[in-house]
Amino acid sequence: MTMRELLQGKTDCTCGKAHPCPIESVVIGKDAFDALGRLAKGYSHILLVADTNTYAVAGDKTVAALGDRVERKQIFRRQGLLIPNEEAIAEIEASLTEQTDLIVGVGSGVINDLCKHVSFKHSLPYFIVATAPSMDGYASVGAALLLDGLKVTLNAAVPRAILADTAVLANAPVEVIQAGYGDIIGKYSCLNDWRLAALVNGEYICDFVVSETYAQVEKTVALAEGIKARSPEAIGALMEALVAVGILMAYVGNSRPASGSEHHLSHYFEIVGILRNEPYLSHGIDVCHSAVLTAALRHGLAALESIDGLTSHHNPSVYQEDIRRIYGAIAEEIFALQDKLGWYRADRVSLYKEKWQDIRALLADSPTAEEMRALCARVGLSHEDFLAFYDEGKRRDSLLYAKDLKDRYSVLWLHYDLFSKKA
């Protein structure tokens, strides 16, 4: 489907659900700033939100397009990364006035999530002026935040308008362009997880959304060389794919089309890095490399002709010790989440045995780890560098316990159920 078609929504889906799209406008191209002034014509008390880096890239052009309708600016000045936590949310809220009628974010992932959350909380519309093709959350309904030290995705509203100047996008740092590509490539992993959850847990799935998401992935793969070369046309197409996937998430009301085990691993590396004051890679780059790890899990499991002799390896005492060792200060929140879900009390191994041949076939219907490595390399990402960045122990822990950060079934649960440590 074209962007125009996606924005119109889909009312006749074979999954039985209507898929409305509340986003009014998406403008990706050389005329994005011209369109911004026109789209914001009905607003007169605008709060502009950016950080020092994103403002330097597109802040002046945004203000020039909006004129004196910009009532206030909230520009984050941080040493190091801006974290989407309670402090940052409070700073935006302190900049709101009783007259504020629109929030305009200038930035990418963190700025978008913060504006999305605050606009939803205060029933205000928001626009996002994208500064990098770095992630697929521009059009999604979820806001990824770090609250009480835990990575959470809260329901929020989508932006009224998404605007992206391709000249700005093409000049973004190479690592954020790679991150956007990586976020799209990770869909090979999450779509297989979604299908696995439907097979194992009977979870709702929309074949149309799965097919459309795959189409965006294939389009992006075909453009890899142009993306690496920073071709404005290829970068614009990457941005369209990122926005399209966000719209497809909005279609189903959650992030299933775009986030699975590979995202859980990425969140693990980020949260553990923050907790331990250790470095971590950007989200999309972690997603791309993590999809290599999950591909290896899938094909390793698919190679098992039978699991008749296996039983659940879950050991509560080992599990609790490991969670406390890995997550420290937020261990109790993780215990509470998993206790609420009750998944550790379920007997999935018996179900796996009943459906094992179907599970094997599904797992095998995905790229291999070698194929995923090659996809990373097409935009200059070295998987060997990733393996050197995160040591073997951290990667091993991630494959067992990244799943505990979320309330979503994936291949990580299948791997844990069959191969976690007994003692």
Side-chain angles (χ1 to χ4, degrees):
M1 295 176 72
T2 66
M3 184 63 66
R4 184 187 296 272
E5 290 170 332
L6 284 169
L7 290 173
Q8 291 173 354
K10 185 174 178 62
T11 59
D12 58 346
C13 189
T14 56
C15 77
K17 291 189 177 184
H19 302 310
C21 180
I23 299 171
E24 296 175 0
S25 300
V26 174
V27 181
I28 300 171
K30 293 183 287 188
D31 58 348
F33 287 105
D34 293 337
L36 175 60
R38 171 176 53 79
L39 294 172
K41 189 174 182 180
Y43 303 100
S44 56
H45 299 277
I46 298 172
L47 170 63
L48 185 146
V49 180
D51 62 32
T52 51
N53 293 324
T54 61
Y55 192 89
V57 169
D60 287 340
K61 290 182 178 180
T62 301
V63 171
L66 297 173
D68 58 9
R69 288 172 286 180
V70 177
E71 182 180 52
R72 287 193 173 189
K73 300 176 187 175
Q74 170 57 48
I75 302 175
F76 290 100
R77 293 172 172 84
R78 294 285 195 273
Q79 298 241 343
L81 295 173
L82 172 62
I83 296 175
N85 57 12
E86 294 90 343
E87 179 185 356
I89 292 167
E91 289 183 53
I92 297 177
E93 291 180 324
S95 296
L96 296 173
T97 70
E98 291 185 1
Q99 289 77 37
T100 302
D101 54 8
L102 177 68
I103 297 173
V104 174
V106 179
S108 55
V110 173
I111 293 294
N112 185 58
D113 285 324
L114 288 169
C115 291
K116 186 183 299 185
H117 173 70
V118 173
S119 69
F120 179 70
K121 183 177 176 181
H122 293 269
S123 300
L124 290 168
Y126 90 101
F127 292 2
I128 184 69
V129 177
T131 56
S134 56
M135 52 89 211
D136 59 19
Y138 287 112
S140 72
V141 294
L145 304 170
L146 193 68
L147 304 180
D148 293 324
L150 196 64
K151 189 86 173 192
V152 297
T153 301
L154 301 183
N155 286 334
V158 295
R160 293 279 179 88
I162 299 169
L163 303 108
D165 184 283
T166 47
V168 171
L169 300 181
N171 284 322
V174 63
E175 60 269 18
V176 298
I177 295 173
Q178 291 172 327
Y181 171 87
D183 210 0
I184 290 292
I185 297 309
K187 306 322 171 208
Y188 283 122
S189 172
C190 73
L191 291 173
N192 194 271
D193 281 331
W194 195 8
R195 294 166 61 202
L196 180 65
L199 175 61
V200 171
N201 289 342
E203 186 175 316
Y204 159 77
I205 191 168
C206 175
D207 292 336
F208 165 77
V209 170
V210 170
S211 176
E212 285 298 318
T213 306
Y214 270 123
Q216 296 300 328
V217 178
E218 295 297 325
K219 179 180 78 171
T220 301
V221 168
L223 293 168
E225 282 69 30
I227 291 169
K228 184 178 181 181
R230 293 174 179 268
S231 157
E233 293 77 16
I235 295 294
L238 171 61
M239 184 67 189
E240 286 187 1
L242 291 164
V243 172
V245 171
I247 292 172
L248 292 166
M249 283 190 269
Y251 273 14
V252 297
N254 61 59
S255 61
R256 258 303 186 190
S259 175
S261 53
E262 73 300 324
H263 273 66
H264 301 168
L265 295 179
S266 175
H267 294 156
Y268 163 88
F269 293 127
E270 177 185 0
I271 288 175
V272 169
I274 292 171
L275 289 169
R276 300 178 186 172
N277 196 28
E278 295 174 350
Y280 54 93
L281 300 172
S282 69
H283 170 73
I285 290 176
D286 265 343
V287 164
C288 195
H289 290 300
S290 294
V292 179
L293 302 185
T294 62
L297 283 188
R298 287 187 186 89
H299 285 271
L301 289 162
L304 299 175
E305 294 185 6
S306 172
I307 59 168
D308 288 344
L310 295 178
T311 59
S312 174
H313 277 213
H314 177 60
N315 183 311
S317 62
V318 172
Y319 160 71
Q320 292 176 14
E321 179 182 336
D322 280 348
I323 291 293
R324 289 193 172 95
R325 170 179 59 83
I326 294 165
Y327 292 114
I330 65 169
E332 294 305 319
E333 285 99 334
I334 289 174
F335 289 142
L337 171 62
Q338 294 306 323
D339 185 61
K340 179 181 178 181
L341 291 173
W343 288 359
Y344 279 104
R345 297 188 293 272
D347 175 21
R348 283 180 296 275
V349 176
S350 296
L351 181 62
Y352 297 154
K353 291 177 179 178
E354 292 175 15
K355 299 186 175 184
W356 187 242
Q357 296 311 317
D358 290 336
I359 291 172
R360 285 184 70 202
L362 193 156
L363 295 173
D365 186 26
S366 62
T368 65
E370 291 73 22
E371 289 168 334
M372 291 303 301
R373 279 179 182 248
L375 290 175
C376 293
R378 291 183 69 177
V379 294
L381 290 173
S382 165
H383 192 65
E384 293 303 320
D385 289 347
F386 169 83
L387 297 178
F389 192 86
Y390 297 126
D391 65 49
E392 184 179 354
K394 183 176 282 190
R395 286 184 275 116
R396 183 173 58 249
D397 283 342
S398 74
L399 294 174
L400 291 173
Y401 299 113
K403 69 188 188 328
D404 295 87
L405 293 167
K406 298 291 180 179
D407 59 351
R408 178 164 292 171
Y409 182 84
S410 74
V411 72
L412 297 179
W413 277 100
L414 176 58
H415 168 67
Y416 180 89
D417 290 337
L418 298 178
F419 297 108
S420 60
K421 296 180 289 186
K422 279 190 173 181

